[in-house]
Amino acid sequence: MTALSLTLGIHMARKVDLEKNKFHLLAVSVAADLSDVKAEGEAISLEAMNAKVLVARAGTMALGFRPLTDFMVELADDTIRLVNEIEFEALAVSLQAVERLRTLNAVNQAQRALVLAEGAPVKHIGGLNVFVKKALDLDNARVEQLLDHAVHLTSLLEEISEQMIAACAVASSARIEAAAIEPRYSASFNSVSTNLQRCAEAVLKKVKASHSLLSQALNMTGNYQ
Amino acid sequence: MKSTVIFEEGNHKWIIFGRDPNKKDKIIDTNQHLVMAGGEAILLDPGGIELFAPMLAAVVHHVPLESIKTLFASHQDPDIISSLGLWDQVLEKATLHAPWLWEGFIRHFGCDQITYNPIPDEGGEIKIGGRALQFVPAHYLHASGNFSVYDPAAKILMSGDVGAALIPDDAPMFVENFEDHIAYMEGFHQRWMPSNRAKNLWVERVRKLDVEMISPQHGAIFRGDNVPRFLDWLEDLEVAAWLTS
């Protein structure tokens, strides 16, 4: 057996089963789900600004609320930064997954053609074999890039989860503080705290689901290695 | 997929691919054309995504993949060119010649590596291995931007959907009895062709060419006396039938 035929044999043996592999669907779902997180992140930012305005209006009557407000603003800025990074990485994972699908589909078709082309002159099918080899090499490189993006995305999801847990804690403290403020301001501060909690919980729920989907997708990518 | 050599003179060859026995039932049968000359090759209306693998396999029986540097699409329909995204990946440095009108549409099939050469409305000419191929306007037959391909040396006109017939799977590659064949193509032309004026202009244009074979993208090939017979029949046919029904 020549080195060339051995190499080609290895490539032929590598089964690219797109039917069973739903990686691209999971990757696109993650990107779609995480796009909702951006809206919640912006809502957190808005609540932080509301809190700042309320503190300014209440003056000395809301002194206890001021450090919480400062923390909320900081949290909101961090959330927006994280959300933007998450959006970039999720889109990268999704695009890479779709590109893989296109390449692997072409490889499948070429491999099918190689089987159907039995009896064709060997020199005529050389180009097809070269294509299959180059496409699989390209796919390997793409898997590496995809893994980099997916791993980074996973760490960003973990980071934002911690932020949102902190946001829930801040919301609880803010509610306690709101109860101690003069009644005419209390309802507004309470509303800000409740909204902050709702947004943080919504982000947490989405992030948890996306994290789980991403883990499934990464496991599938592992099957390709 | 069946392949039939319909012209051969030295290294100048026309091969037609079609009648794929493994084709799914509800997919219309199509004829793909390969023209070879001087070590180069062009695929005319390379077909749909569904038959890409058998088509590719059939092609490499005749030419190495590397020799296909040129593709042609008569118009934008999926049975003509939806395989483009796959050819785009397996061919290196290829050019697609297709109507300028459809560039933005055909690119939806995937055209990253392949260069799209938009054919102007008046048509044009390219050389394959030193042999000239002419793009003959066939606008509105049936697409609003549409071309036939004429090979003056082989005297073959690849007519796209003009002359197309919905024939049985086991029908011969060449029309044997013109009168019998009318039943397979009449309804197609009456419904798919939208303009009597465009049809008659095309007939007039083709009559000026020296044509020995008209090879459509569906159905069977007209040769010899069946060529003028087909042109006469087409000239007399009222198309855009739904409008007058």
Side-chain angles (χ1 to χ4, degrees), chain B:
Chain B
M1 183 173 289
K2 190 175 164 187
S3 66
T4 310
V5 177
I6 61 171
F7 173 84
E8 187 166 11
E9 200 173 87
N11 62 19
H12 186 193
K13 204 186 261 193
W14 274 70
I15 301 162
I16 186 165
F17 302 96
R19 314 284 199 276
D20 182 7
N22 299 314
K23 175 184 71 64
K24 292 174 188 167
D25 284 346
K26 289 194 175 176
I27 290 178
I28 190 169
D29 186 46
T30 50
N31 297 326
Q32 290 70 237
H33 294 75
L34 176 73
V35 184
M36 298 155 61
E40 291 180 28
I42 179 171
L43 279 172
L44 309 178
D45 287 352
I49 199 165
E50 280 284 344
L51 50 83
F52 175 77
M55 177 62 192
L56 181 56
V59 165
V60 295
H61 272 92
H62 296 276
V63 288
L65 195 61
E66 307 85 277
S67 66
I68 302 168
K69 298 287 183 203
T70 320
L71 303 174
F72 163 81
S74 59
H75 59 290
Q76 85 296 357
D77 274 354
D79 62 322
I80 299 284
I81 191 67
S82 69
S83 58
L84 180 64
L86 292 163
W87 291 108
D88 187 57
Q89 298 197 54
V90 300
L91 297 181
E92 283 195 357
K93 293 180 186 162
T95 299
L96 168 70
H97 299 269
W100 72 269
L101 191 67
W102 296 119
E103 178 169 0
F105 297 73
I106 287 175
R107 282 185 178 278
H108 274 276
F109 292 128
C111 189
D112 294 336
Q113 314 297 326
I114 290 176
T115 304
Y116 191 109
N117 182 55
I119 308 172
D121 280 342
E122 60 273 23
E125 185 178 293
I126 56 163
K127 291 268 170 67
I128 299 295
R131 296 283 182 181
L133 288 181
Q134 296 169 7
F135 301 133
V136 180
H139 305 312
Y140 301 102
L141 298 172
H142 64 89
S144 45
N146 210 127
F147 291 94
S148 306
V149 178
Y150 176 59
D151 181 337
K155 297 181 181 176
I156 296 173
L157 182 78
M158 200 290 283
S159 56
D161 279 325
V162 186
L166 306 176
I167 54 174
D169 290 345
D170 56 350
M173 280 314 291
F174 290 91
V175 174
E176 289 172 353
N177 183 317
F178 186 81
E179 292 306 317
D180 289 348
H181 192 67
I182 288 174
Y184 298 122
M185 61 177 177
E186 190 169 33
F188 182 92
H189 287 78
Q190 284 174 330
R191 181 61 205 254
W192 260 273
M193 300 301 164
S195 163
N196 285 300
R197 187 163 167 243
K199 166 190 67 94
N200 291 341
L201 280 171
W202 184 86
V203 170
E204 198 179 305
R205 211 171 280 133
V206 173
R207 280 201 176 120
K208 289 178 187 161
L209 305 173
D210 185 5
V211 178
E212 287 184 357
M213 262 187 244
I214 291 180
S215 187
Q217 196 241 344
H218 307 283
I221 303 165
F222 304 91
R223 65 177 163 188
D225 291 344
N226 280 337
V227 170
R229 207 170 274 146
F230 168 70
L231 293 174
D232 290 346
W233 171 83
L234 185 63
E235 191 172 38
D236 290 343
L237 187 73
E238 279 287 314
V239 297
W242 186 80
L243 294 173
T244 51
S245 63

Side-chain angles (χ1 to χ4, degrees), chain A residues 106-127:
Chain A
V107 169
N108 268 350
Q109 297 274 0
Q111 287 178 331
R112 205 178 134 217
L114 276 168
V115 174
L116 292 171
E118 192 185 353
V122 174
K123 63 179 181 178
H124 285 190
I125 60 169

